[in-house]
Amino acid sequence: MNGRDMYALAERLYPICRSITGYGLRQTLEIMAGAVPLEIEGVASGTRVFDWQVPDEWRLDAAYIQTPDGERIADVDRHSLHLMSYSLPGRRTLTLPELLPHLYSLPQHPEWIPYRTSYYEPDWGFCLPHQRLCALVDGTYEAVIEGDLSPGELNYGELLIPGRSDREVLFFSHACHPSLANDNLAGLVTTCALAQRLLSMSTRRYSYRFVWAPGTIGSIVWLARNQARLREIKGGLVAVLLGDKGQLQYKPSRNGDSEIDAAAAYVCGRRGGRVREFEPYGYDERQFASPGIALPVGRLTRTPNGEYAEYHTSADDLSLILPEQLEASLDALSEFVDVLEHNRRYVNLQPYCEPQLGKRGLYRKGGGEALPDRNIAMLWALNQSDGKTPLLDIAERSQIPFSVLRDVAAELESSHLLEGRGDAEEGSDS
Amino acid sequence: MNGRDMYALAERLYPICRSITGYGLRQTLEIMAGAVPLEIEGVASGTRVFDWQVPDEWRLDAAYIQTPDGERIADVDRHSLHLMSYSLPGRRTLTLPELLPHLYSLPQHPEWIPYRTSYYEPDWGFCLPHQRLCALVDGTYEAVIEGDLSPGELNYGELLIPGRSDREVLFFSHACHPSLANDNLAGLVTTCALAQRLLSMSTRRYSYRFVWAPGTIGSIVWLARNQARLREIKGGLVAVLLGDKGQLQYKPSRNGDSEIDAAAAYVCGRRGGRVREFEPYGYDERQFASPGIALPVGRLTRTPNGEYAEYHTSADDLSLILPEQLEASLDALSEFVDVLEHNRRYVNLQPYCEPQLGKRGLYRKGGGEALPDRNIAMLWALNQSDGKTPLLDIAERSQIPFSVLRDVAAELESSHLLEGRGDAEEGSDS
Amino acid sequence: MNGRDMYALAERLYPICRSITGYGLRQTLEIMAGAVPLEIEGVASGTRVFDWQVPDEWRLDAAYIQTPDGERIADVDRHSLHLMSYSLPGRRTLTLPELLPHLYSLPQHPEWIPYRTSYYEPDWGFCLPHQRLCALVDGTYEAVIEGDLSPGELNYGELLIPGRSDREVLFFSHACHPSLANDNLAGLVTTCALAQRLLSMSTRRYSYRFVWAPGTIGSIVWLARNQARLREIKGGLVAVLLGDKGQLQYKPSRNGDSEIDAAAAYVCGRRGGRVREFEPYGYDERQFASPGIALPVGRLTRTPNGEYAEYHTSADDLSLILPEQLEASLDALSEFVDVLEHNRRYVNLQPYCEPQLGKRGLYRKGGGEALPDRNIAMLWALNQSDGKTPLLDIAERSQIPFSVLRDVAAELESSHLLEGRGDAEEGSDS
């Protein structure tokens, strides 16, 4: 999947009215299952998950307002944002003053439809452009919400790509937002493409797990159902909002000192991106950062939630995401994986003075010119390989690209000058 | 006591001729005892205190110079700075050339009287404006110092305000300077006002001890007499020079890593103040910072000693201190106390994922707008409360005011989501 | 030896055609032995030294090219750089197209002769100004290299100046470069002068070892022959390129946290110099920094290798080095030694409050003026002397010159207020 393919998948998913449960979410996961072999899981309403409970399932058939002159406005068939998510079904006849408290708009952006939800507080409402709201006349309105809010299930998609080690790297993207392009479709299609790429690799050092689930309640459900497995999670990324034209931004995990954090910061830094400060607010990394879970799961985005004007409005549409940005995000995620796959500790087998590279054909003739970069990289790898220092630390200290160090380390290993000593973090051979 | 009251007390104390012993010091402590229930302690001359000895008591009755034409100049009754402190009593008849080595003035500020002392080197001298010194004519002068330098006692004032814990927070201000307003009266009246405020609190977590004593020898005397108690001293502040128009400045304790330092730096930072580097020179914090004592006692001032032109001259008069600055200093000290009183460690009782704040009435409906500050503060408190991290650390990391975190922590404790786990430093419940 | 003497020695050594073995190297060491009592060591060709082998000895008698019209060019008698070092002896008759691959020049600096070597790859070549190379005409050339490449020995000079402790501080300068002034003569003459200065001291705390040896293979040989002694090496400096007009630059040792690093950084900083980042490329510090050796040996230079245009060309001649810079480099090395000699830990014998300096004649009368620097330095020394903090740490924290602290510490020791507690690093009395 290249940038165009990812964009095309986003186009297909865009019109669907998703929520944290229901038809739209299931349909979304089914379409994604056409691209990667994910499993769709279902968890019954009422299931207790830590401090929470899986809510009733919200199934929506139609929703609109009929004006006094018979016009249908705020029709969810025309735009999925017109209805506040989890609105209670019903057919209500109201005067304009009775209707107004149930209407939401954005006075500062009078042409945009806002995105509103009320998952846990029983309520209903419609969202519409402020200019349309202002044009409403007195009279009798009918607010129609056809559907059902009753026990059912909450769904999520999951895919495990096994590696040589049982240690897992996790990618999580929320899948509950309706017609919003950057804030969730971009994450869904980029992680789909990453999963495809990982599946195409002949072998992998780590196992990789992808979870596509509703925001907040979805990550809580997954964590509650997988408590026994958490000790196998090396860490991971919440990968979302990856399609806009902004630079990459990495929000570190709660402790911020893991290999995951170092690899993500490295990948971000190489692309002119920014490493933010940790904060407990954000997306699903919040659950992974809770003190009882405390897994090294950071968050990779472009412009984060709340920091662009179109966020959570109808203006976060397909024009806000760009194929080349989706592809560049995929490249960054791929390099993140590449760093984890090759970030090993080595030990120098000729540690007393420098080994003579020349007699092994690894060195060039001396003289007045600068040493080639590849030889400088070899000197770094040899000098720092004490069995404790992973390649990524050497890359950061030397400012030499990780990929160059990865390659010279392999070459030096072939020449019996270096020997791999296992993972960067675990200290075991692999 | 508000700023006006504090200023009025300073006005009363201003004319008194204080020194490290004697009438003026005792009178000062007696006046302060009218504001707070301090005890006046006395230590006999000759008492050994560490490497020092309590000096003879200096009792001054009168001092002046009679000029050849019969005028009395440099009369200590007109300004207490006219006499070098601890000048040897005597009535001396001298020519001008004999007198001049005993006269001190400030050529750069010809209208100001300098402040001079000679506590430990037997000497005498008079201080006067340079312009008056230059106008002296040849002839016979009489230098009169009536009084007594003989065994007596050194006095200091002390007040203990007990709290639930025996752990003490100490406030020290020197009380030995004569008619100098910022450099000592400002400290005396501000700490008096703080003591009144603490006395008015119904209960206190810590005990608070105030010591008003002569500089250097006074803190040495107090430390020598209270060695057994030092292990109960959590730390404290030398609180002096708090009335001028400069910003607050905090000089950290010797190690600089205590809760006292963090609280004082926080209070200073909130007011645009500055945290200085530690240095061994300064005021009485020097004694607390000696390697054998090494208590976390910092120093809170506005413009510190030696850094304003009027320092240790007659120009450090009542016009240099401002009621509103005294009151602002009191507010800062009060917030310092408030931070210590509430800087607890909490443990999150629902640490697996975020608790559902909504069902407890602690959360507002989701949507496109930013989360309210109060909810962000709750997320910080919940996320960081692992039983080890005190609230002040959370305030510093999150840039959320301590008082907001203190309030949401109390609210979360009421909702059984947090549980207090004791002091920030001691690790014991309180 | 002052700057002029050092320069004069460099002038004497300049014309000699040095290499990593052979006549020129031996002659250089013999001339230096006239200034300091160094021993000349010899190691047989073929000796294995870690991953390397001592090469055959290269003895050169004459070398030049005869042009078709009978002119002798690139004559090593006129400039030692004309011949690629370690060129295989032989008398070769060639056409211009056959000769050209063996000629080296610098098109960007058409008047300079480049410096080329081929120690470990059998080859031969001549170096000449680009403008001369361009003027060569078609015809038959004779390339003459008279000499011998056969088993012999590799030489280096060594001098141990014993101190009270067996712990050694090492100075290393490479001695293999032919007529290049800054890049090697400056290092040789500066370390010679330092050795003279150390010899003239009546006693020394540490022992000092000087090694003047060929680059790379020389340090490897020395390390291989002295493995049992390495545990006595406290650390040291590779001292080279010390004559040009650039500022001092210090490259830290591999770990960068030793007393050697602190002392060198201090000395550099005092002179407006710069502390660089560690990197594994450079001069002989590379061998000391290898993971199996890992001695705290840094590198002190002015403009380092490769960072000035004249580097490794005939333009690095006697005009590039300045007597005053050589002398300033010697001063820096001398201060480095002085810091090591006096960087002791002290314990305050009157640690409870400040001692009364006045009664010991160490203090001046109080008053409105600032305390003299010397008294401030005493307060720092007393405050920080807890038996663990070396004087250099106090100098860095206080920004007081080390020499001032050294002097007041001695004065305070005489007054029985401080007591020395041994070396900064070893923790043993000395």
Side-chain angles (χ1 to χ4, degrees), chain C residues 7-42:
Chain C
Y7 191 86
L9 179 56
E11 282 179 312
R12 248 184 101 191
L13 298 171
Y14 180 72
I16 301 169
C17 184
R18 280 166 291 274
S19 185
I20 57 173
T21 61
Y23 307 149
L25 174 61
R26 254 189 314 272
Q27 188 187 352
T28 298
L29 296 172
E30 280 157 9
I31 291 172
M32 288 167 62
V36 291
L38 63 82
E39 301 281 334
I40 299 179
E41 304 284 333

Coordinates of all heavy atoms in Angstrom, one line a residue, chain C residues 7-42:
Chain C
Y7 N 60.7 26.9 20.1 CA 60.7 27.1 18.6 C 62.0 26.7 18.0 O 62.0 26.1 16.9 CB 60.4 28.6 18.3 CG 60.1 28.9 16.9 CD1 58.8 28.7 16.4 CD2 61.1 29.3 16.0 CE1 58.5 29.0 15.1 CE2 60.8 29.5 14.7 CZ 59.5 29.4 14.2 OH 59.2 29.6 12.9
A8 N 63.1 27.0 18.6 CA 64.4 26.7 18.1 C 64.6 25.2 18.0 O 65.2 24.7 17.0 CB 65.5 27.3 19.0
L9 N 64.1 24.4 18.9 CA 64.2 23.0 18.8 C 63.3 22.5 17.7 O 63.8 21.6 16.9 CB 63.7 22.3 20.2 CG 63.7 20.8 20.2 CD1 65.1 20.2 19.9 CD2 63.2 20.3 21.6
A10 N 62.2 23.1 17.5 CA 61.3 22.7 16.3 C 62.1 23.0 15.0 O 62.0 22.2 14.1 CB 60.0 23.4 16.4
E11 N 62.8 24.1 15.0 CA 63.5 24.4 13.7 C 64.6 23.3 13.4 O 64.8 23.0 12.3 CB 64.2 25.8 13.9 CG 63.3 27.0 13.7 CD 64.0 28.3 13.9 OE1 64.8 28.4 14.9 OE2 63.9 29.2 13.1
R12 N 65.2 22.8 14.5 CA 66.2 21.8 14.3 C 65.6 20.5 13.8 O 66.2 19.8 13.0 CB 66.9 21.5 15.6 CG 68.4 21.9 15.7 CD 69.0 21.5 17.0 NE 69.8 20.3 16.9 CZ 70.3 19.6 17.9 NH1 70.0 20.0 19.2 NH2 71.1 18.6 17.7
L13 N 64.4 20.2 14.3 CA 63.8 18.9 13.9 C 63.1 19.0 12.6 O 62.8 17.9 12.0 CB 62.8 18.5 15.0 CG 63.4 18.3 16.4 CD1 62.3 18.1 17.4 CD2 64.3 17.0 16.4
Y14 N 62.8 20.2 12.1 CA 61.9 20.3 11.0 C 62.3 19.6 9.7 O 61.5 18.9 9.1 CB 61.7 21.8 10.7 CG 60.8 22.1 9.5 CD1 59.4 21.8 9.6 CD2 61.3 22.6 8.3 CE1 58.5 22.1 8.5 CE2 60.4 22.8 7.2 CZ 59.1 22.5 7.3 OH 58.2 22.8 6.3
P15 N 63.6 19.7 9.3 CA 64.0 19.1 8.0 C 64.0 17.6 7.9 O 63.9 17.0 6.8 CB 65.4 19.7 7.7 CG 65.6 20.7 8.7 CD 64.7 20.4 9.9
I16 N 64.0 17.0 9.1 CA 64.2 15.5 9.1 C 63.1 14.8 8.5 O 61.9 15.1 8.7 CB 64.5 15.1 10.6 CG1 65.7 15.8 11.2 CG2 64.6 13.6 10.7 CD1 65.8 15.6 12.7
C17 N 63.4 13.7 7.7 CA 62.4 12.9 7.1 C 62.0 11.8 8.0 O 62.6 10.7 8.0 CB 62.9 12.4 5.7 SG 61.6 11.4 4.9
R18 N 61.0 12.0 8.9 CA 60.6 11.0 9.8 C 59.5 10.1 9.2 O 58.9 10.4 8.2 CB 59.9 11.7 11.0 CG 60.9 12.2 12.1 CD 60.1 13.1 13.1 NE 59.8 14.3 12.4 CZ 60.6 15.4 12.2 NH1 61.8 15.4 12.8 NH2 60.2 16.4 11.6
S19 N 59.4 8.9 9.8 CA 58.3 8.0 9.4 C 58.0 7.2 10.7 O 58.6 7.5 11.8 CB 58.6 7.1 8.2 OG 57.5 6.4 7.9
I20 N 57.2 6.1 10.6 CA 56.9 5.3 11.8 C 58.1 4.4 12.2 O 58.1 3.9 13.3 CB 55.6 4.5 11.6 CG1 55.7 3.6 10.4 CG2 54.4 5.5 11.5 CD1 54.5 2.7 10.3
T21 N 59.1 4.3 11.3 CA 60.3 3.6 11.7 C 61.5 4.3 10.9 O 61.2 5.2 10.1 CB 60.4 2.1 11.3 OG1 60.2 2.1 9.8 CG2 59.2 1.4 11.9
G22 N 62.7 4.0 11.3 CA 63.8 4.4 10.4 C 64.7 5.5 11.0 O 64.5 5.9 12.1
Y23 N 65.7 5.9 10.1 CA 66.7 6.9 10.5 C 66.1 8.1 11.2 O 66.6 8.6 12.2 CB 67.5 7.3 9.4 CG 68.2 6.3 8.5 CD1 68.4 6.5 7.1 CD2 68.6 5.1 9.0 CE1 69.0 5.6 6.3 CE2 69.2 4.1 8.2 CZ 69.4 4.4 6.8 OH 70.0 3.5 6.0
G24 N 65.1 8.7 10.4 CA 64.6 10.0 10.8 C 64.0 10.0 12.2 O 64.2 11.0 13.0
L25 N 63.3 9.0 12.5 CA 62.6 8.9 13.8 C 63.7 8.8 14.9 O 63.6 9.5 15.9 CB 61.7 7.6 13.8 CG 61.1 7.3 15.1 CD1 60.2 8.4 15.7 CD2 60.3 6.0 15.0
R26 N 64.7 7.9 14.6 CA 65.8 7.7 15.6 C 66.5 9.0 15.8 O 66.8 9.4 17.0 CB 66.7 6.6 15.2 CG 66.6 5.4 16.0 CD 67.6 4.3 15.7 NE 67.9 4.1 14.3 CZ 67.3 3.2 13.6 NH1 66.3 2.5 14.0 NH2 67.7 3.0 12.3
Q27 N 66.9 9.7 14.7 CA 67.6 11.0 14.8 C 66.8 12.0 15.7 O 67.4 12.7 16.5 CB 67.9 11.5 13.4 CG 68.8 12.7 13.4 CD 68.9 13.3 12.0 OE1 68.3 12.8 11.0 NE2 69.5 14.5 11.9
T28 N 65.5 12.0 15.4 CA 64.6 13.0 16.2 C 64.7 12.7 17.7 O 64.9 13.6 18.5 CB 63.2 12.8 15.7 OG1 63.2 13.2 14.3 CG2 62.2 13.7 16.4
L29 N 64.6 11.4 18.0 CA 64.6 11.0 19.4 C 66.0 11.4 20.1 O 66.1 11.8 21.2 CB 64.3 9.6 19.6 CG 62.8 9.1 19.2 CD1 62.7 7.6 19.2 CD2 61.8 9.8 20.0
E30 N 67.0 11.2 19.3 CA 68.4 11.5 19.8 C 68.5 13.0 20.1 O 69.1 13.4 21.1 CB 69.4 11.0 18.8 CG 69.7 9.5 18.9 CD 70.3 8.9 17.7 OE1 70.7 9.6 16.8 OE2 70.3 7.6 17.6
I31 N 68.0 13.8 19.2 CA 68.1 15.3 19.4 C 67.3 15.6 20.6 O 67.7 16.4 21.5 CB 67.6 16.0 18.2 CG1 68.6 15.8 17.0 CG2 67.3 17.5 18.5 CD1 68.1 16.4 15.7
M32 N 66.1 15.1 20.8 CA 65.3 15.3 22.0 C 66.0 14.9 23.3 O 65.8 15.5 24.3 CB 63.9 14.7 21.9 CG 63.0 15.4 20.8 SD 61.5 14.4 20.4 CE 60.7 14.4 22.0
A33 N 66.7 13.8 23.1 CA 67.4 13.3 24.3 C 68.5 14.3 24.8 O 69.0 14.2 25.9 CB 68.1 11.9 24.0
G34 N 68.8 15.2 24.0 CA 69.7 16.3 24.4 C 69.0 17.3 25.3 O 69.7 18.0 26.1
A35 N 67.7 17.3 25.3 CA 66.9 18.2 26.1 C 66.4 17.6 27.4 O 66.3 18.2 28.5 CB 65.8 18.8 25.3
V36 N 66.0 16.3 27.3 CA 65.5 15.6 28.4 C 66.0 14.2 28.4 O 66.3 13.6 27.3 CB 63.9 15.5 28.4 CG1 63.3 16.9 28.7 CG2 63.4 15.0 27.1
P37 N 66.2 13.6 29.6 CA 66.9 12.3 29.6 C 66.0 11.1 29.2 O 65.7 10.2 30.1 CB 67.3 12.2 31.1 CG 66.3 13.0 31.8 CD 65.9 14.1 30.9
L38 N 65.5 11.1 28.0 CA 64.6 10.0 27.6 C 65.4 8.8 27.2 O 66.6 8.9 26.8 CB 63.7 10.5 26.4 CG 64.4 10.9 25.1 CD1 64.7 9.7 24.2 CD2 63.4 11.8 24.3
E39 N 64.8 7.6 27.3 CA 65.3 6.4 26.8 C 64.8 6.1 25.4 O 63.6 6.3 25.2 CB 64.9 5.2 27.7 CG 65.3 5.4 29.2 CD 66.7 5.0 29.4 OE1 67.3 4.2 28.6 OE2 67.3 5.5 30.4
I40 N 65.6 5.6 24.5 CA 65.1 5.2 23.2 C 64.9 3.7 23.2 O 65.9 3.0 23.4 CB 66.1 5.7 22.1 CG1 66.2 7.2 22.1 CG2 65.6 5.2 20.7 CD1 67.2 7.8 21.1
E41 N 63.7 3.3 23.0 CA 63.3 1.9 23.0 C 63.3 1.4 21.6 O 63.0 2.2 20.7 CB 62.0 1.7 23.7 CG 61.8 2.2 25.1 CD 62.6 1.3 26.1 OE1 62.7 0.1 25.8 OE2 63.0 1.8 27.2
G42 N 63.5 0.1 21.4 CA 63.4 -0.5 20.1 C 62.6 -1.8 20.1 O 62.8 -2.6 21.0

